[in-house]
Structures are given as structure tokens and as C-alpha cells.
Amino acid sequence: MGGSTDSGSQNRLGRRLLTERVSGYWLQGAGYFAIVLFALIVLALLYQSLPLLSEYSLVQMLTSSNWDPAQNQFGFLPAIVGTVYVTALTMIMGTPIAILAAIYIAEYAEGRTKTLVSSFIDVLAAIPSVIFGLVALIVVVPFVGDYLAPAVGSSATGLGIFTVSLVMAIVVTPFMISLSVESLEALPDELRESSLGVGATKWETIRIVLLRAAGPGIFSAVLLGFGRVFGATIVPAMLIGGQTHLPSSPFATGQTLPTLIVNDFGELMSLPLTQSALIFVGLMLIVVVWLFNFSAMILRQRLQQRWQF
Amino acid sequence: MTTNTALTTKDLSVTYVGDREVEALKGVSIDFSANQLSAIIGPSGCGKSTLLKSLNRLHEIQPNVEISGDVHLGDQSVYNTDEPVPKLRKRIGYVPQTPTALPLSIYENVAYGVKLHGEYDSKNELDALVESYLQKVNLWDEVEDRLETPGAELSTGQIQRLCLARSLAVEPDVLLCDEVTSALDPISAESVEETLVDLKEEYTIIMVTHSMEQAQRIADDVVFLYLGEVIEENDVQTFFQNPEKERTKKFIDGDTIVEYDESDDDSPSEAVPAER
């Protein structure tokens, strides 16, 4: 009888070990699938970009500002400049506000105020960005066109780079705030106590100790915001004016790389080179985002090393 | 007690008024002698850390804390005063239980408070200060050739001595130590203990400890805290060999189980927030 129990438990162990091995492979497969998927997307985009790349020189396309697919003119410079412009303006407006708001919520707000403020920020972060675009068309566009642009001596319809940047700042700031608050709140109280315990003020503690300690996390938050602005499609498509030229001022209309794809998508079927050009834009976006994430990862590790606690 | 009193608490009560009201300290009055090492002992959740933090108002970083009574540092009131809190905390330093390096270099960790208070005239003077305090905690020889590396790269024992150096560098009168050896291996703990014993020549040290052996080894005075009340306050010899109170005797004999009085509505449970 003892023998049969032995072989029973032996069988059972065998099954458990088999499950163990199989689940290991299965999880590993799921992990590698992400890499394979990324590679496949890049390859597909690259393959479809080849007709364009074999026809025109890359340097010439990246530096030419003449975009006219009907005439087979594929200058990407206006969209590149537009993207850089929008991303830079958005981050300049959004990042300081995000960090300050995060500090307020994590370190100063208490009790009900804290719950109220952070729940509203979470709600803002959850609103689909098309709604921001819609409200901006009613509110921000007339405001910029009728008041702000004339006030700085510029004439504009209200659609353009600045409007997009302003609205994108409103779209991404709640994300950056939420994530930054999380990194600040994850810090051990001992850091605060150690700093306050030698007679530091609360602000000194935040500036010198907490912002460093949470620095890598806040950096990631800002970077996530950056990625969202860089790849933003719907808000720029609604508000940028959709004219492919080099923007002459922040209030000028323009084009970003994603809006170029969206706005010219209709012509795609009839002109094979245009299709290839728009796919090449997609390739550029994915490569830049990848390069950016990669260097950010390295930078983040450096920061973590330098500001460890 | 023949020595001067450095720090006094008068009827100090601390209540956490969150979802559930917890009275962590109930009218504590203690005299801490100058240039002595006083140990606060007692079972977990009996208000030891709360008492320590309320001595320099560090508990105020937690929301929902109510306090009554007062603490006196010499003639200076800690609570009923217009004196800015950072100035008071500079005089009453605090070292937390978990060895915590600030996210700065070893050098900047020690110089941190000194720089904030601007108490130096030249870089050379600051260098000398940093060296002297690292010497004082017996850390200089181990770190002198890597002062620019992050403090967090040191071992936990070294970090705890770095914390001591950081606290001492602003020249406090009193140093509060919250179970500073509990996170350390025995060898590091011994070295920190030795440092503390050396330091009491110059400073008044108030230490929370969960180890009666440690209190016996290095303390001059012992305060026994039980359910937020001081049961006994005595010099170390009397406390351990001839305690006045029955409760103290039981505790020394190893009965560390807390007996809650069921009729008392304010009795804290195991989850007293101060002892997180």
C-alpha cells in the first residue's frame, strides 16, 4: 500500500515538473513575441519604403521642404520641423507644471484636498484626446486666433503649432503628474526624516533630496509624455491646419509626421510612391521612438546609479 | 540623577486621529540627562518611536497627528514657540531606524546640513569639517579615497555611521536614534554601539531600542514605555537589577506580551501607526 502511494506521488511530481517546464517555455515565448513583433513591424515598413528609397536620395528628402506628392516631390522637412516644434513647445509648457503639480500632490496636499485633486487628474488622464481636440476647436482656437496671436503681433486663424502644443500639454500633463506622484510617494519616509532631522526645510528636502531620489521615475514620466506628444495624431490633425510648409512662427499652421500620414492618406491608393513615402514616415517615427527609448533607458540607469539612496 | 537635564517632556500626549483614534502617548513626562545615553525600551507598538519623533516634531510629517503637552530643550520650548521648526531640529538631530543615505555623494551627505545652514566660510573649512565628523564616527579610513561616490554604495553598517556623521555635522545638542542598530549585522551593530558610547561625551543621546541587552550594555538611563505611558525611568543599574515596578520586572524577565485593558477604549492595537 505504501508502494502505491509512493508511485502516486511520483506521478504527481512528474506532472508538476512537466507543467513547470512548459509554463517556463510558454512565458518565455510570450516575452520573445514582443521582440519578434517589433522586428516584423520595422521590416514591413522598411520593405514598403524601399520603392521610395530606391528612387530618391534620403538626405535630399530629409532636407527638402517641398512636399507635393502629385508632382512626386517628397520633402519631409516641414513635417519634421513641425513635429520637433510641437514636441518641444509642449514639453516646455507641460513638464514644469507636471513636476510642480506632482510635488504639490505628493508632498503638500493632505486629506480630502489630496483625494480631490488627484482624482481629477486621473479623470483628465482618462479623457480620450479627441474630446480635448473638440473642446479646443470651440475654445482654444478662437482664443489664440482672436486674442493671443494679435496680442503678440501675429495674425493667425487660431489653427497651428502653438494651439496644438497648448492642447497637447493639457493632454499629457495629467499622465506625467500621475506617474511623478507615484515615484515621489514611493520614497521611504526615512529620506524625509533624515533631511528634516538636520534642520532642512520642507522645500530644501524636496529640492535636494526627494527630486533626486525620485529623479529616475520623474524622468521616465516626462519621457512617456514625450512619446505621447511625438506620436500624437488626432489632436494635431484637428488643430494644426494641415498645410505642409515650414512654419514661420509658433502661430503658423503646419504639419507633423503623424498628421502627414493622416492628412494624405486618401491619395495613398492612386499614387504608389506616395504610399511608400507615407510608410517611410511611419518608419521614421518608429525608429526615432525606439532610439529615444533606448538612450533614455541608458540615461535613466546613469541617474539611478548617481542618485541612489 | 546628579547630571543636568538636557531635554524634558511635560505631559506629552500624541494622538493619531485618522480613521480610528489611537492614543500613542498618554501624558509622558521624562527628564533626559545631558551627556548621557538614555534608552527607551518597551514592547512593540507602545509608542517608542512616536515619543522619539515628537521630541523634535518629526511626527508632524504624518497627517492627522494631535499633540498636547510640551518638550523643553534647556529653556527652549519645542512646541509653544515662534522659533522655526528647522532651527529646533538642527539642535535635536534624528537618525532613523533604516540606514538611509541621501541621494548624494558621501561627502555631500555629511556636508548636507552644514551647507544648508551656511556654517562654514571656505571650501577648506567644509572639507575639514567633513573629515572630522567622518573621523568621529570611525568611517574616515574606509571612505577617504572615495568621497565622491554615492553614499548609498556603502554597506548598511557604513551608511548608518554616515547618517550619524550627517546628524552630528550640524552640531546638535541632542541626538535621537531610532533602533539604529536593528537593521545591521552583529559586527556593524557593535561598531555603531561603540561610536554611540564615544559620542555621549559630547552629546546627549536618546535611543530607542528593542534590545534589553543593548540597553544594558551602553545606556546610562532607561525609560520603560508601556502602552503609551512611562512605567519606570531609572538609571541602568537600578532598572535592571532592582526595578521599582512589578511591570518592569516582568518585562525584564522576558514577558514582553502586551496585555490590553479591554475596558479601555483608547487602547492601541498591534497596528499602532507609529511603529510601522
Side-chain angles (χ1 to χ4, degrees), chain A residues 10 71 84 101 116 118 120 129-130 132 138 144 169 182 188 197 218 221 225 227 234 285 299 304-305:
Chain A
Q10 202 67 37
Q71 305 298 320
V84 172
L116 191 75
S118 44
F120 266 93
S129 44
V130 66
F132 284 101
I138 308 166
V144 172
E182 269 173 39
I218 294 174
I234 189 69
L285 282 170
L299 192 61
Q304 245 161 357
Q305 151 81 16

Side-chain angles (χ1 to χ4, degrees), chain A residues 189-262:
Chain A
D189 261 346
E190 280 84 2
L191 277 176
R192 297 177 183 90
E193 290 168 353
S194 298
S195 169
L196 295 170
V198 296
T201 62
K202 191 167 181 174
W203 175 244
E204 285 161 348
T205 302
I206 291 168
R207 183 171 57 85
I208 306 173
V209 177
L210 302 185
L211 283 183
R212 275 193 174 83
I218 294 174
F219 177 72
S220 293
V222 171
L223 215 75
L224 210 81
F226 171 90
R228 280 179 62 93
V229 180
F230 187 78
T233 310
I234 189 69
V235 169
M238 290 169 88
L239 302 174
I240 203 161
Q243 286 176 311
T244 315
H245 56 175
L246 284 175
S248 52
S249 85
F251 296 107
T253 56
Q255 199 78 276
T256 66
L257 290 167
T259 63
L260 195 64
I261 301 179
V262 177

Side-chain angles (χ1 to χ4, degrees), chain B:
Chain B
M1 270 171 267
T2 52
T3 37
N4 295 326
T5 302
L7 197 72
T8 320
T9 72
K10 281 195 187 123
D11 207 19
L12 189 67
S13 296
V14 178
T15 310
Y16 293 96
V17 287
D19 306 331
R20 211 162 41 87
E21 210 171 277
V22 178
E23 209 178 357
L25 286 184
K26 303 170 189 168
V28 168
S29 299
I30 316 173
D31 294 331
F32 292 105
S33 310
N35 295 94
Q36 301 272 303
L37 202 160
S38 307
I40 302 170
I41 65 171
S44 294
C46 277
K48 302 192 297 286
S49 288
T50 301
L51 172 60
L52 201 68
K53 286 182 190 174
S54 61
L55 296 179
N56 76 349
R57 298 175 65 165
L58 256 187
H59 64 285
E60 286 177 358
I61 68 171
Q62 289 177 43
N64 309 322
V65 181
E66 271 176 14
I67 193 139
S68 69
D70 202 353
V71 176
H72 283 271
L73 174 63
D75 300 331
Q76 171 73 57
S77 164
V78 170
Y79 283 94
N80 300 309
T81 176
D82 296 332
E83 198 87 341
V85 182
K87 206 173 159 193
L88 292 168
R89 291 199 185 123
K90 179 183 175 296
R91 295 182 62 194
I92 312 176
Y94 174 83
V95 181
Q97 176 174 4
T98 320
T100 309
L102 299 178
L104 302 165
S105 67
I106 295 172
Y107 180 97
E108 292 294 335
N109 258 282
V110 182
Y112 180 68
V114 185
K115 278 177 131 178
L116 290 179
H117 299 295
E119 286 172 338
Y120 65 105
D121 295 321
S122 63
K123 176 84 169 78
N124 285 342
E125 193 186 331
L126 190 61
D127 289 349
L129 264 174
V130 169
E131 179 177 346
S132 72
Y133 285 104
L134 284 171
Q135 299 265 19
K136 199 169 262 184
V137 298
N138 307 317
L139 192 60
W140 175 253
D141 296 339
E142 294 159 56
V143 301
E144 61 174 320
D145 52 352
R146 49 172 175 152
L147 291 172
E148 295 312 314
T149 55
E153 281 182 3
L154 297 171
S155 72
T156 44
Q158 289 172 320
I159 290 176
Q160 199 57 301
R161 278 178 283 152
L162 184 69
C163 294
L164 281 172
R166 181 176 61 219
S167 299
L168 296 176
V170 296
E171 281 298 328
D173 302 325
V174 180
L175 193 63
L176 311 174
C177 300
D178 192 356
E179 298 199 21
V180 285
T181 59
S182 67
L184 305 183
D185 62 273
I187 294 166
S188 305
E190 199 184 323
S191 135
V192 169
E193 272 186 21
E194 282 166 10
T195 310
L196 287 176
V197 171
D198 292 342
L199 290 175
K200 72 179 185 192
E201 306 289 323
E202 288 175 69
Y203 306 90
T204 301
I205 300 175
I206 302 172
M207 177 181 76
V208 164
T209 177
H210 63 276
S211 152
M212 276 184 279
E213 292 78 19
Q214 186 176 51
Q216 233 166 336
R217 269 197 306 272
I218 64 175
D220 301 299
D221 297 330
V222 181
V223 175
F224 177 40
L225 209 59
Y226 187 80
L227 294 177
E229 287 173 275
V230 176
I231 302 295
E232 182 162 351
E233 181 191 2
N234 233 324
D235 66 89
V236 67
Q237 226 110 54
T238 320
F239 186 91
F240 283 107
Q241 277 152 30
N242 199 10
E244 288 165 10
K245 302 279 163 55
E246 195 52 36
R247 190 59 248 182
T248 313
K249 205 171 282 173
K250 274 167 82 181
F251 185 69
I252 295 168
D253 292 342
D255 175 12
T256 55
I257 296 158
V258 183
E259 289 159 13
Y260 295 107
D261 185 354
E262 292 299 331
S263 64
D264 185 357
D265 286 339
D266 294 331
S267 65
S269 72
E270 293 89 323
V272 174
E275 298 281 343
R276 285 167 309 151

Side-chain angles (χ1 to χ4, degrees), chain A residues 82-94:
Chain A
T83 307
V84 172
Y85 220 145
V86 165
T87 311
L89 268 180
T90 303
M91 296 316 282
I92 289 168
M93 287 191 271

